[in-house]
Amino acid sequence: MQDNIGAFLTRRARRSPNLEALVDLASGRRFDFRELNARANRMADALRGRGGKKGDRVGLLMLNSVEFVESFYALAKLGAVVAPLNWRLVADELIFILQDCGATALIYGVEFAEVSAEIQSRGAEGSDISLWLEVGPADQRQLFA
């Protein structure tokens, strides 16, 4: 693994696995470094299994959440380039940014399913995205190739 923020999480999980890493105040969910690292690894493996690779540009369309942190670390472990998106933008603005940065994947929160579906419905005109990953607090993921 390259030396990046993803490697930091792996090292921290080995050094202090039971140390609290993340608390979601809204839901009360708590994660230690071992759990956060395992969740990020699972997401990185899922992305890799769907063709994600080092150097891919991946849009993140999410609110501040556990899933955002998990996705950020997963992309670092994969060696992908994170393109965080402003969730206040409309589909046309998001499409412009996704095309401009060359994104080939989009990870989005369940609350952005509608705008993501609009982007996806435009096909090649909308973006070059071939991998769509919906994440939500119930830890239910939907992978769309």
Side-chain angles (χ1 to χ4, degrees):
M1 177 187 297
Q2 64 229 17
D3 196 23
N4 63 19
I5 194 76
F8 162 80
L9 180 60
T10 300
R11 286 193 304 269
R12 177 48 58 188
R14 286 184 188 140
R15 178 176 282 167
S16 328
N18 299 318
L19 186 65
E20 193 167 69
L22 187 61
V23 177
D24 182 0
L25 296 176
S27 70
R29 295 184 298 167
R30 296 175 175 278
F31 301 91
D32 59 32
F33 279 105
R34 179 183 35 77
E35 293 167 320
L36 182 59
N37 188 52
R39 290 172 61 94
N41 285 338
R42 279 194 304 272
M43 180 178 273
D45 290 343
L47 290 167
R48 195 175 292 111
R50 292 294 183 137
K53 61 189 177 313
K54 182 178 179 176
D56 283 353
R57 287 164 174 77
V58 180
L60 284 182
L61 181 59
M62 289 184 232
L63 298 172
N64 292 337
S65 63
V66 170
E67 291 74 28
F68 182 90
V69 174
E70 172 186 74
S71 300
F72 182 82
Y73 278 117
L75 292 170
K77 288 172 175 282
L78 188 62
V81 178
V82 177
L85 300 166
N86 184 334
W87 56 268
R88 293 178 180 94
L89 299 177
V90 297
D92 287 335
E93 295 166 319
L94 292 168
I95 288 169
F96 175 83
I97 294 168
L98 291 167
Q99 287 177 334
D100 190 53
C101 76
T104 57
L106 179 65
I107 302 173
Y108 60 94
V110 294
E111 54 277 304
F112 301 106
E114 190 175 313
V115 72
S116 297
E118 183 178 344
I119 294 168
Q120 192 173 14
S121 72
R122 296 192 192 180
E125 171 192 326
S127 68
D128 293 330
I129 295 174
S130 58
L131 174 63
W132 303 81
L133 176 61
E134 180 180 291
V135 296
D139 201 24
Q140 296 174 347
R141 292 185 173 76
Q142 302 294 324
L143 288 170
F144 302 100

